[in-house]
């Protein structure tokens, strides 16, 4: 919509994206640049009236959405607001330290290698996209498509630098917004190859030839993508999931919910995920401890006679935790076990 100059509707959809996930606002520079380019036409006049008017139309639905979210957040009447939770889970606390630059670059680079399946295939396709853009800049620097591709490339580089040099968490999903602009650049690069081959053969843009060449490309890349797609369905790659780490946590939550009112559940590993499946209005007390000593000491000092359980991943190193509890006189018995999780019943001395 921005590429068609529809400032208002691009603002509406960006606002709805923001209501779903706050990171949607990171698309704002891309939307504004593309819409602004459409408004200036071929002549790049600085801040024409049309752009200012467009920015106002673009901002209105975003402001309305912000106000509606604020009203909804206040109506929830919870101590922790939407905004506080957002900062707590993702606090960009300034620029990174110098010694963190290389490790973060390697992490982001490793994740980005999965953009198009295998890392070598990702490098190949991004290289094709970049080569096609360089060719277009040399051949037709003022063409609208060239300017759009330069905006896509500039935005992608800026987005990557932001997540590399600012201390945001290195979650693989934070690279997802890069996929649409990069896919467009790669598609334009492949299209450039197809056009170049046709011109060398002296062929005109015959629809049948174009359909055949596009179909051939789809078949080739479909085969190349297949091994990575199979790996992804089996959870054998490091992005896009938890590699089965939380499989069955909903059953674990239902099991703990079946325990008596006020049951104490000690936890170190499962955190908000387990809290989510216990439910917002759970009558169980989920309590986090940073280490085995703190758990054992506090559990021994707890006078409440309510039932107590210790929940953990089945693969976790539990011996230090169980030994610390046993040293405080707790009787420990395994009460629940699956391939992923284990729960111990703790009876105080």
């Amino acid at each position: 919509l921005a590429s068609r100059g529809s400032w208002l509707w691009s603002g509406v959809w960006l606002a709805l994206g923001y209501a779903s996930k706050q990171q949607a606002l990171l698309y704002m520079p891309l939307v504004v640049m593309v819409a602004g380019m459409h408004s200036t036409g071929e002549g790049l006049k600085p801040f024409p009236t049309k752009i200012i008017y467009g920015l106002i139309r673009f901002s209105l639905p975003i402001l309305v959405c912000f106000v509606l979210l604020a009203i909804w957040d206040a109506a929830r009447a919870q101590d922790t607001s939407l905004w506080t939770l957002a900062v707590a889970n993702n606090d960009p606390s300034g620029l990174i330290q110098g010694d963190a630059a290389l490790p973060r670059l390697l992490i982001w680079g490793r994740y980005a290698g999965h953009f198009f399946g295998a890392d070598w295939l990702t490098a190949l396709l991004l290289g094709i996209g970049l080569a096609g853009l360089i060719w277009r800049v040399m051949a037709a620097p003022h063409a609208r498509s060239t300017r759009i591709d330069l905006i896509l490339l500039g935005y992608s580089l800026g987005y990557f630098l932001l997540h590399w040099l600012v201390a945001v968490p290195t979650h693989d999903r934070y690279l997802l917004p890069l996929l649409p602009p990069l896919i467009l650049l790669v598609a334009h690069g492949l299209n450039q190859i197809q056009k170049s081959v046709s011109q060398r053969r002296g062929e005109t843009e015959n629809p049948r030839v174009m359909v055949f060449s596009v179909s051939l490309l789809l078949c080739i890349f479909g085969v190349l993508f297949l091994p990575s797609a199979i790996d992804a369905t089996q959870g054998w790659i490091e992005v896009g999931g938890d590699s089965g780490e939380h499989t069955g946590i909903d059953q674990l939550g239902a099991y703990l919910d079946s325990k008596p009112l006020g049951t104490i559940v000690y936890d170190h590993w499962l955190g908000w995920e387990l809290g989510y499946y216990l439910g917002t209005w759970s009558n169980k007390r989920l309590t986090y401890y940073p280490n085995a000593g703190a758990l054992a000491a506090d559990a021994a000092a707890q006078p409440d006679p309510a039932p107590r359980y210790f929940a953990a991943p089945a693969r976790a190193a539990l011996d230090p935790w169980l030994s610390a509890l046993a040293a405080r006189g707790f009787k420990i018995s395994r009460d629940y076990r699956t391939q992923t999780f284990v729960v111990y019943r703790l009876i105080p001395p």
Side-chain angles (χ1 to χ4, degrees):
L1 288 165
S3 69
R4 298 177 183 181
S6 182
W7 288 93
L8 179 64
W9 280 108
S10 60
V12 168
W13 292 112
L14 187 65
L16 291 175
Y18 170 70
S20 304
K21 186 74 171 175
Q22 290 168 322
Q23 276 93 338
L25 284 186
L26 294 176
Y27 270 130
M28 186 178 287
L30 179 60
V31 174
V32 170
M33 285 189 292
V34 171
M37 190 202 70
H38 182 279
S39 298
T40 56
E42 294 299 327
L44 296 177
K45 300 177 183 178
F47 295 101
T49 305
K50 192 174 182 181
I51 289 184
I52 297 175
Y53 177 64
L55 285 171
I56 295 174
R57 288 164 58 85
F58 174 73
S59 303
L60 280 176
I62 297 175
L63 291 174
V64 170
C65 178
F66 185 87
V67 171
L68 290 175
L69 279 177
I71 293 172
W72 170 78
D73 191 43
R76 292 166 65 230
Q78 292 194 12
D79 295 334
T80 307
S81 73
L82 169 71
W83 324 109
T84 304
L85 286 171
V87 173
N89 287 297
N90 190 356
D91 184 10
S93 54
L95 297 177
I96 61 173
Q97 300 295 322
D99 58 352
L102 182 58
R104 286 176 62 88
L105 179 61
L106 293 175
I107 291 172
W108 287 127
R110 194 171 72 245
Y111 290 157
H114 294 284
F115 272 153
F116 298 100
D119 50 4
W120 67 268
L121 187 54
T122 296
L124 172 63
L125 289 174
L126 291 179
I128 290 174
L130 184 59
L133 176 57
I134 293 173
W135 190 94
R136 288 191 296 281
V137 168
M138 295 175 62
H142 300 296
R144 185 172 184 271
S145 59
T146 303
R147 289 160 55 195
I148 285 182
D149 283 355
L150 286 172
I151 289 174
L152 294 173
L153 179 62
Y155 173 81
S156 300
L157 290 175
Y159 186 98
F160 188 85
L161 288 173
L162 174 69
H163 285 74
W164 174 29
L165 299 177
V166 176
V168 298
T170 52
H171 298 318
D172 58 354
R173 62 182 180 272
Y174 286 179
L175 289 186
L176 281 174
L178 279 179
L179 270 178
L182 291 179
I183 286 172
L184 286 172
L185 286 172
V186 169
H188 293 166
L190 292 172
N191 187 49
Q192 192 65 55
I193 292 176
Q194 185 269 332
K195 285 185 176 180
S196 300
V197 171
S198 297
Q199 289 173 358
R200 286 189 178 184
R201 292 180 177 179
E203 298 171 351
T204 59
E205 291 190 357
N206 188 316
R208 292 184 179 180
V209 174
M210 292 183 65
V211 168
F212 174 77
S213 59
V214 170
S215 301
L216 182 61
L217 274 178
L218 286 175
C219 291
I220 291 173
F221 284 107
V223 172
L224 293 176
F225 291 147
L226 191 58
S228 299
I230 293 173
D231 289 347
T233 61
Q234 301 301 313
W236 294 339
I237 59 176
E238 62 176 334
V239 299
D242 60 3
S243 299
E245 179 183 348
H246 294 97
T247 300
I249 197 170
D250 47 350
Q251 289 91 344
L252 174 64
Y255 158 79
L256 293 172
D257 267 334
S258 68
K259 299 302 176 183
L261 172 71
T263 292
I264 301 172
V265 180
Y266 297 126
D267 166 61
H268 172 72
W269 294 273
L270 304 179
W272 71 266
E273 290 94 342
L274 179 57
Y276 178 86
Y277 285 102
L278 283 175
T280 305
W281 308 109
S282 174
N283 55 26
K284 311 301 181 291
R285 288 175 282 177
L286 183 62
T287 310
Y288 166 83
Y289 286 95
N291 54 62
L295 167 60
D298 200 55
Q302 172 62 263
D304 195 321
R308 305 188 205 182
Y309 294 88
F310 177 47
R315 298 180 182 178
L318 298 177
D319 287 345
W321 298 80
L322 300 179
S323 298
L325 289 164
R328 293 280 183 166
F330 280 86
K331 293 182 180 179
I332 304 170
S333 61
R334 194 170 66 193
D335 202 63
Y336 176 90
R337 182 176 178 84
T338 64
Q339 210 170 15
T340 317
F341 301 106
V342 63
V343 179
Y344 290 92
R345 171 77 185 274
L346 306 179
I347 301 177

